[in-house]
Amino acid sequence: MSIQAPLRVRTRAVGRSGPTWTSATGRTTLLTVGALAVLAPVAWAALSSFKTQQELAAAPPTLWPRHPTLDNYTTGLRAFDFAQYLTNSVIVTAAATLLTLTINSMAAYALAKYNFRGRNLLFLITLSTIMIPLQVILLPVYQVVSSFGMTNSLLGLIIPPAATPTGVFLLRQYMLTLPDELIEAARIDGAGEFKIFLRIILPLSRPALAVVAIFSVIWRWNDFLWPLIVAQDESEQTLPVAIARFASQQAIPFNQILAVSVVSIVPVVILYLLLQRHIISGISQGAIK
């Protein structure tokens, strides 16, 4: 009996480790395949931007460029006023992101830490606006922007889409995890509400703010429909609209379009790499509630 008992324990331990290893391998394989499926088009576009026009049109297509060249970048960036459109995109994205973080964080703090009548109803109404597409409210929003004289200006691209229900939701869910005792202790020490918000809530909400920031940057940087309608003047257009107009011209080599498109996604990729730790922690902790 003393010899068989350890054998049974050992057999059970091995039986438990088998499914764990199999499930881990399955998850890793699935995630790897998903990552490759997402990165494959981006990798193909980046590598094809170094190909010549003849090599890009070859059949069957090749992944690696046989004769890499930088002429696509130099010629494509000189074909239109790339610096002006890049400046417009940077200004609109940076200003809109700062305004989004300010408005959404204040609204989320009020919905998370203040008890008032109708708070949950107000949050549900705010959250329900996620289901309303831009095309439904495009005409009334444009009329409001036009009445304020913000058409053909960067302000018309920055202010209207500043408040986002997704940002309010993510920040509110994260702020609910912050202990109320910190706020009460600060109030006892004589701190005002605005000081509590700046000195306590915002520093503790850095991961969630990073998530909202990267989402806002991606939305504003890639936004096409709203800048196309509001900024009819070419000098006020952003980079996606300018690239689409550049691609619609006749006799424009596709390899130059790829080169310009690759340059346009570099800032977003760099920002994501800088904020990825905060993004992962912000999403995981905000999802607890």
Side-chain angles (χ1 to χ4, degrees), residues 90-279:
V90 170
I91 293 175
V92 170
T93 302
T97 299
L98 290 176
L99 189 60
T100 297
L101 292 177
T102 302
I103 296 176
N104 289 354
S105 60
M106 295 175 70
Y109 176 58
L111 292 173
K113 296 301 181 183
Y114 285 97
N115 293 320
F116 56 90
R117 182 177 299 177
R119 183 184 68 169
N120 294 331
L121 178 61
L122 181 60
F123 174 68
L124 290 177
I125 294 174
T126 303
L127 195 60
S128 63
T129 57
I130 297 177
M131 298 181 293
I132 302 176
L134 176 61
Q135 291 80 3
V136 175
I137 60 174
L138 188 61
L139 182 58
V141 173
Y142 178 80
Q143 290 177 344
V144 172
V145 171
S146 179
S147 64
F148 281 98
M150 292 189 296
T151 56
N152 286 325
S153 67
L154 297 182
L155 289 177
L157 304 178
I158 295 172
I159 297 178
T164 58
T166 305
V168 174
F169 170 74
L170 291 175
L171 290 172
R172 175 188 178 273
Q173 295 303 107
Y174 188 89
M175 290 180 183
L176 286 175
T177 63
L178 303 180
D180 296 335
E181 290 77 9
L182 291 175
I183 301 176
E184 296 298 332
R187 289 171 179 168
I188 293 175
D189 291 339
E193 296 299 321
F194 193 68
K195 187 175 182 180
I196 294 174
F197 177 71
L198 289 179
R199 298 291 182 87
I200 298 177
I201 300 300
L202 289 185
L204 292 177
S205 303
R206 233 176 311 179
L209 291 173
V211 175
V212 177
I214 190 62
F215 283 168
S216 178
V217 168
I218 294 175
W219 293 334
R220 304 295 172 262
W221 189 266
N222 297 325
D223 193 10
F224 176 78
L225 181 59
W226 182 248
L228 178 65
I229 294 175
V230 174
Q232 292 89 9
D233 191 357
E234 293 184 2
S235 61
E236 303 294 336
Q237 291 179 348
T238 56
L239 199 55
V241 179
I243 293 176
R245 186 164 46 84
F246 173 67
S248 64
Q249 298 177 3
Q250 296 181 356
I252 298 297
F254 192 67
N255 50 351
Q256 295 182 12
I257 299 175
L258 285 176
V260 175
S261 301
V262 169
V263 174
S264 66
I265 67 175
V266 169
V268 179
V269 174
I270 294 176
L271 182 63
Y272 177 80
L273 293 177
L274 293 176
L275 299 178
Q276 61 177 341
R277 291 185 302 173
H278 297 292
I279 293 172

